Amino acid sequence: MSKPAHTESTGSGQDQAQPCTMAGGSMLCMQGQGIVKGFAIGRAAIMSAAALEVDHYRILDEDVDAECERLVAAVERAKQDLRTLVDTLPPDAPREMGPLLEVHHLLLEDPLLVQRACEFIRERHYNAEWALTTQGHLLVEQFSAMEDDYLRERSSDIRQVIERVLRVLSGSTALITNMDAVNGYGDPLIVVARDISPADMLRLRGARFAAFLTDLGGPTSHTAIVARSMNVPAVVGLGHMRALVRDGDVLVADGSTGVVLVNPSEKVLEEYRERQANYLRERKELESLRDAPAVTLDGVEIRLEANIELPEEAQQALDAGAEGIGLFRSEFLFMGRQDLPSEDEQYEAYAAVVKTLAGRPVTIRTLDIGSDKTLDGEATVATNPALGLRAIRYCLAKPQLFATQLRALLRATVHGHVRILIPMIAHMHEVRAVHQAIEAACRELEVRGVPYSRNFSVGAMVEIPAMAIAIEPFVEALDFFSIGTNDLIQYTLAIDRGDADVSSLYDPMHPAVLRLIAYTINAAERAGKPVAVCGEMAGDSNVTRMLLGLGLKEFSMHPQQLLDVKKEIRHAHSNALRVKVAAALNRAARIDLEELAR
Ligand code: PEP
Ligand code: MG
């Protein structure tokens, strides 16, 4: 990922908005989180934020009832609008849209929001807008303080539904306040907003904006989810962008680095126009690779699969040309909720993916909870959760929960090719316990007369160094392997992958890590068992050649990374890479990626 060229910051170093100097002049630079790659150059179109412009006044005693009714009527109208949107969703609307709109509808039905707001009207004589935003702030604070990332980000849903009701109360439903004026420039428009609700995204979509920039939101926010599915460059978490930018300002947005430039000089604009043209050309070339085989120059066939976290992403994986699902992180079905998903609910989710993949392999990882991923309502008291009761250790300690998941997985086998993947295995007795649990789940289904197929395989994540070092018995006992480099690096180098203070020591290229990967690949290959890498390294096209040099033939990654990796593979010479990489590893020397690219 490239940073803005020649940037010389003169700001405080910590702020998201800083004056900066590039060749050709000074301008405002903002740093957010790039969530959809691509460049956009255009004019700012500021989205109205009713919540920021709310009037605060007290009403008379005799007006209390009418004010409450005004609020309730506005909420009803907002609900109706959402219902109409759900009922009339265009066929090409992102798949996530319906469920997201339903969440907003549910929030508006929550008595906590409207009843409490009415109490503010009755008890403090606040006007409806003030009452609603007061209660909204309280709810947002509660959600923002939650530990779980998913729930924390739901505070943005509350803000968004409040915006919606406030717009109804104000009588103005225009999203872009000065649309006519900004349209007058005749340039592409870039939406600048505090936050964008899914419903507003739907309305904005029709107008074909060049990018979406928001002050709030993170990579799992709804703006992010919808923007990704629309494939429009987007940067979130920009802090105070909306306050600093005016309608019609010239903006440059880089969806990879998260950098936004405000009113850059003509010279900088020219440079970004060139970057944009190059990027578009490359994307076009990449698209043409979708159906091309992933084969090296010397004819080695490579398998490219996709990592997914939710069943809905299975189609995206196919659209990107994935040959299967190499990692379905099932824990996302369990997170962000107070209860556990039932066997039926899990079965539906697994079966949906297996059916979508229509016979291609679907690798479903059993629950990997613990460490940075926790279940709601469960305190994480371990002093070092990454080394604690995580993943398979957790499942074996909770046999009922594990048995439920295994039955759901087995039931999904009737719809296609299921591979059960076990995380965090370090001991052979864990493998034996897993096999016993699977057998017990099979028997229980037989007793219940529920169909399943015996045609499934059981494999393990290789992510604890102990397993990689002493892999031989595991290779005998299991059907396939997937190297989880994210954790393998964490445990090999003794650095917490979530701790920013040691992130500079997180080194995927450390010879010790690479030797463990090489050893695992060789051992599995000798036994004729498939082995993949499904950690972040698999999707990083900068290290594709190095992984080929280690002998890797199966990669699993986020669907968006697939074509970049395929391109590298098609330009690589596997044998030459293997010789170079082996020579470096023998000396435990660092591998020079630039040399591999030559
Ligand atoms: C890994 O550890 O590399 C992996 C793919 O699993 P996760 O990132 O979910 O721990
Ligand atoms: Mg892992």
Side-chain angles (χ1 to χ4, degrees):
M1 276 193 248
S2 55
K3 292 261 176 263
H6 335 299
T7 306
E8 186 192 300
S9 168
T10 53
S12 67
Q14 288 303 318
D15 293 347
Q16 283 150 315
Q18 301 180 356
C20 62
T21 312
M22 286 190 191
S26 297
M27 75 210 90
L28 187 66
C29 284
M30 309 207 57
Q31 178 71 59
Q33 221 173 344
I35 49 162
V36 185
K37 278 190 190 176
F39 293 91
I41 300 171
R43 300 274 180 176
I46 313 275
M47 203 170 126
S48 70
L52 296 179
E53 290 130 27
V54 157
D55 284 335
H56 292 184
Y57 57 89
R58 291 191 198 271
I59 51 163
L60 297 174
D61 223 1
E62 60 264 35
D63 293 335
V64 159
D65 283 341
E67 194 67 359
C68 274
E69 277 163 27
R70 192 165 82 85
L71 177 62
V72 171
V75 170
E76 283 308 315
R77 166 76 199 280
K79 272 166 41 185
Q80 258 171 34
D81 290 350
L82 282 172
R83 180 63 39 230
T84 312
L85 276 175
V86 175
D87 293 344
T88 56
L89 271 181
D92 63 336
R95 274 185 305 281
E96 297 84 352
M97 195 57 91
L100 296 185
L101 294 174
E102 294 286 2
V103 168
H104 283 199
H105 194 268
L106 272 177
L107 281 175
L108 284 175
E109 286 194 326
D110 189 335
L112 265 186
L113 187 66
V114 184
Q115 279 176 17
R116 290 273 173 81
C118 275
E119 279 166 29
F120 284 123
I121 297 176
R122 289 190 193 289
E123 289 162 14
R124 302 193 194 174
H125 288 197
Y126 286 0
N127 62 316
E129 290 85 347
W130 188 6
L132 183 65
T133 44
T134 305
Q135 175 55 12
H137 284 314
L138 291 175
L139 290 175
V140 164
E141 265 174 27
Q142 282 168 15
F143 271 82
S144 304
M146 291 188 180
E147 288 228 330
D148 181 284
D149 282 353
Y150 177 84
L151 283 182
R152 212 174 29 249
E153 286 203 348
R154 297 298 64 80
S155 58
S156 64
D157 292 299
I158 298 170
R159 275 196 210 95
Q160 290 168 1
V161 295
I162 286 173
E163 275 286 330
R164 173 162 284 278
V165 178
L166 288 173
R167 266 196 231 120
V168 176
L169 283 168
S170 76
S172 157
T173 52
L175 288 182
I176 307 290
T177 327
N178 295 318
M179 192 63 181
D180 288 345
V182 287
N183 245 339
Y185 292 105
D187 292 332
L189 296 181
I190 295 179
V191 177
V192 178
R194 210 162 105 81
D195 198 7
I196 310 177
S197 73
D200 291 343
M201 269 307 221
L202 200 60
R203 279 176 66 191
L204 293 171
R205 206 168 75 110
R208 306 229 167 275
F209 289 97
F212 295 111
L213 311 179
T214 64
D215 289 350
L216 304 176
T220 57
S221 63
H222 286 158
T223 314
I225 294 169
V226 179
R228 255 186 225 118
S229 66
M230 287 160 62
N231 208 14
V232 174
V235 181
V236 299
L238 280 156
H240 295 98
M241 170 117 193
R242 189 184 171 282
L244 295 170
V245 169
R246 289 178 308 270
D247 268 320
D249 276 350
V250 175
L251 301 180
V252 169
D254 179 344
S256 299
T257 59
V259 168
V260 177
L261 308 177
V262 184
N263 293 326
S265 66
E266 191 46 46
K267 188 150 186 233
V268 171
L269 271 178
E270 205 37 61
E271 177 183 328
Y272 272 90
R273 280 191 200 108
E274 207 176 306
R275 286 192 191 195
Q276 185 181 36
N278 288 341
Y279 176 80
L280 291 175
R281 199 174 317 114
E282 276 170 24
R283 278 327 302 171
K284 215 163 180 185
E285 272 170 39
L286 279 182
E287 291 304 327
S288 68
L289 290 184
R290 191 199 165 282
D291 298 316
V295 183
T296 63
L297 292 174
D298 50 339
V300 178
E301 286 178 21
I302 306 296
R303 219 185 141 73
L304 297 182
E305 297 192 332
N307 294 354
I308 62 168
E309 290 169 357
L310 293 171
E312 297 79 46
E313 292 162 4
Q315 187 57 47
Q316 196 192 347
L318 282 185
D319 293 346
E323 294 175 74
I325 301 296
L327 173 65
F328 177 3
R329 290 181 161 100
S330 69
E331 53 273 15
F332 286 86
L333 299 174
F334 291 70
M335 290 161 67
R337 55 191 292 167
Q338 295 296 329
D339 57 343
L340 291 171
S342 66
E343 181 186 318
D344 281 349
E345 184 183 340
Q346 288 188 60
Y347 159 72
E348 295 291 344
Y350 306 143
V353 177
V354 178
K355 284 182 200 163
T356 305
L357 269 284
R360 296 175 191 84
V362 177
T363 314
I364 306 176
R365 184 173 71 184
T366 56
L367 183 61
D368 182 358
I369 218 75
S371 191
D372 58 332
K373 295 174 277 196
T374 56
L375 289 183
D376 282 30
E378 244 185 23
T380 40
V381 284
T383 33
N384 191 337
L387 302 180
L389 199 61
R390 184 188 158 185
I392 191 58
R393 303 169 180 183
Y394 182 94
C395 287
L396 292 177
K398 305 215 178 232
Q400 291 306 331
L401 174 146
F402 193 38
T404 306
Q405 177 166 44
L406 290 175
R407 287 195 303 272
L409 284 171
L410 289 167
R411 284 170 59 188
T413 57
V414 296
H415 302 293
H417 185 175
V418 173
R419 309 198 319 161
I420 300 175
L421 178 62
I422 313 293
M424 287 274 292
I425 292 266
H427 303 273
M428 275 303 291
H429 61 76
E430 290 166 333
V431 175
R432 287 191 286 274
V434 166
H435 279 135
Q436 280 163 12
I438 293 175
E439 277 313 308
C442 289
R443 278 196 303 278
E444 170 141 10
L445 290 179
E446 282 157 22
V447 170
R448 278 170 30 192
V450 178
Y452 72 95
S453 153
R454 275 267 162 196
N455 196 14
F456 61 88
S457 40
V458 182
M461 298 279 294
V462 182
E463 49 190 352
I464 297 184
M467 190 205 207
I469 293 168
I471 195 151
E472 287 74 7
F474 297 95
V475 165
E476 296 262 304
L478 291 156
D479 302 320
F480 69 95
F481 296 87
S482 196
I483 306 173
T485 46
N486 307 342
D487 278 313
L488 188 63
I489 297 163
Q490 147 163 281
Y491 295 127
T492 306
L493 301 180
I495 31 114
D496 185 337
R497 64 194 256 199
D499 184 345
D501 290 338
V502 288
S503 61
S504 61
L505 300 176
Y506 189 88
D507 179 11
M509 297 298 290
H510 193 297
V513 172
L514 302 187
R515 277 187 172 177
L516 292 175
I517 298 176
Y519 195 67
T520 305
I521 295 172
N522 290 340
E525 228 177 29
R526 272 197 309 275
K529 305 264 167 106
V531 56
V533 168
C534 65
E536 289 305 304
M537 276 178 97
D540 179 354
S541 56
N542 296 313
V543 299
T544 303
R545 284 167 193 256
M546 198 265 313
L547 290 172
L548 291 171
L550 291 174
L552 188 70
K553 298 206 180 70
E554 287 187 27
F555 295 61
S556 188
M557 68 204 80
H558 190 282
Q560 268 184 6
Q561 300 168 316
L562 216 130
L563 294 179
D564 280 315
V565 170
K566 193 188 276 189
K567 183 176 162 197
E568 280 299 314
I569 290 168
R570 289 170 59 86
H571 287 95
H573 196 287
S574 166
N575 266 331
L577 289 169
R578 287 192 83 150
V579 172
K580 283 186 192 172
V581 169
L585 275 196
N586 277 339
R587 292 179 282 118
R590 284 192 77 81
I591 289 173
D592 180 352
L593 290 177
E594 276 178 22
E595 208 231 310
L596 294 189
R598 284 198 281 271

